[in-house]
Amino acid sequence: DVVMTQSPFSLPVTLGQPASISCRSSQSIVYSDGNIYFNWFQQRPGQSPRRLIYMVSSRDSGVPDRFSGSGSGTDFTLKISRVEAEDVGVYYCMQGTHWPFTFGGGTKVEIK
Amino acid sequence: QVHLVESGGGLVKPGGSLRLSCAASGFTFSDSYMSWIRQAPGKGLEVLSYIGRSGTDINYADSVRGRFTISRDNAKNSLFLQMDSLRVEDTAIYYCARTARQFSDWGQGTLVIVSS
């Protein structure tokens, strides 16, 4: 199975400051069609996960532009340019290239 | 607007069975792959199974293969998960999600508790 390793496990951030979460896959996640099925999800407390980013860097409709995704090969990053209170929650990376599709262990973003 | 509503969760004894349902609306259900994902209490996310548009492309995680069965009814815009031989470790919130590789939309989840 492809192992998705996220860091850090916990990320205390000051409001208005940037934040960055890393995710590394244990092998290439480029699919045979050339696409990279890599996504970022946000799970606010008590809520279902919500997709923020798909295909590494495409932002979902309604997602604030302070969220951005980047990466290639086996290393990927989610950046929040200026953290707001509503960004508190757990963030998961996920690969949908190789079955079984796998999630990272999660990064808990909290306000200092 | 996409809407996914899971139902069918509850308390069941080890070895028992449950059938989860997911009612879909707001999109062309028959055009979408669908998936089931679970989250054990306080834990991360595990993809269990996906099913193709016509129901012929199916895959399962090793943890549930042979015990769980995914199916769909395109006429009723519904997704199902038949769960047999349930174990304590199957206790989790079960989510249905739209698509297989990208999970664009999620339901609110249904809680399954397996306990004697």
Side-chain angles (χ1 to χ4, degrees):
Chain A
D1 297 2
V2 178
V3 177
M4 305 298 284
T5 304
Q6 282 184 238
S7 61
F9 175 76
S10 176
L11 184 56
V13 187
T14 301
L15 286 173
Q17 293 300 302
S20 180
I21 301 170
S22 295
C23 182
R24 176 169 292 178
S25 59
S26 60
Q27 64 186 76
S28 170
I29 55 173
V30 179
Y31 190 53
S32 55
D33 61 7
N35 288 319
I36 302 174
Y37 292 98
F38 178 87
N39 313 286
W40 287 101
F41 297 86
Q42 174 196 61
Q43 188 173 31
R44 291 172 171 152
Q47 295 187 14
S48 306
R50 164 201 182 196
R51 194 180 69 180
L52 300 176
I53 303 286
Y54 62 98
M55 297 291 208
V56 181
S57 59
S58 295
R59 198 167 40 246
D60 271 278
S61 175
V63 174
D65 60 8
R66 63 179 181 275
F67 289 93
S68 64
S70 63
S72 62
T74 58
D75 290 295
F76 304 90
T77 303
L78 176 69
K79 292 184 178 178
I80 311 174
S81 58
R82 296 172 305 279
V83 172
E84 298 190 4
E86 66 177 16
D87 300 336
V88 165
V90 181
Y91 291 76
Y92 295 94
C93 62
M94 173 249 163
Q95 66 84 21
T97 295
H98 302 291
W99 184 256
F101 307 143
T102 46
F103 287 86
T107 295
K108 186 174 184 178
V109 172
E110 56 187 11
I111 305 301
K112 282 182 182 176
Chain B
Q1 183 179 358
V2 173
H3 204 44
L4 298 169
V5 180
E6 301 92 338
S7 60
L11 175 63
V12 62
K13 288 181 168 52
S17 297
L18 276 178
R19 180 177 167 87
L20 305 184
S21 300
C22 172
S25 61
F27 65 102
T28 305
F29 182 73
S30 57
D31 283 350
S32 291
Y33 272 63
M34 297 294 295
S35 302
W36 285 100
I37 301 155
R38 71 182 176 186
Q39 186 171 35
K43 301 296 184 182
L45 297 158
E46 180 186 14
V47 183
L48 301 179
S49 181
Y50 69 77
I51 185 168
R53 302 176 187 90
S54 62
T56 54
D57 183 11
I58 289 175
N59 219 332
Y60 296 99
D62 287 346
S63 59
V64 303
R65 185 175 289 115
R67 300 188 300 123
F68 291 10
T69 304
I70 192 171
S71 62
R72 65 190 296 162
D73 185 337
N74 286 342
K76 295 184 177 179
N77 291 343
S78 294
L79 175 72
F80 306 101
L81 187 68
Q82 176 66 40
M83 303 189 298
D84 299 319
S85 304
L86 282 162
R87 305 167 180 167
V88 170
E89 55 265 34
D90 293 321
T91 294
I93 298 174
Y94 286 71
Y95 298 101
C96 66
R98 184 183 173 200
T99 78
R101 298 184 184 279
Q102 302 188 74
F103 306 141
S104 56
D105 303 279
W106 297 58
Q108 86 291 345
T110 187
L111 177 62
V112 172
I113 300 174
V114 185
S115 174
S116 55

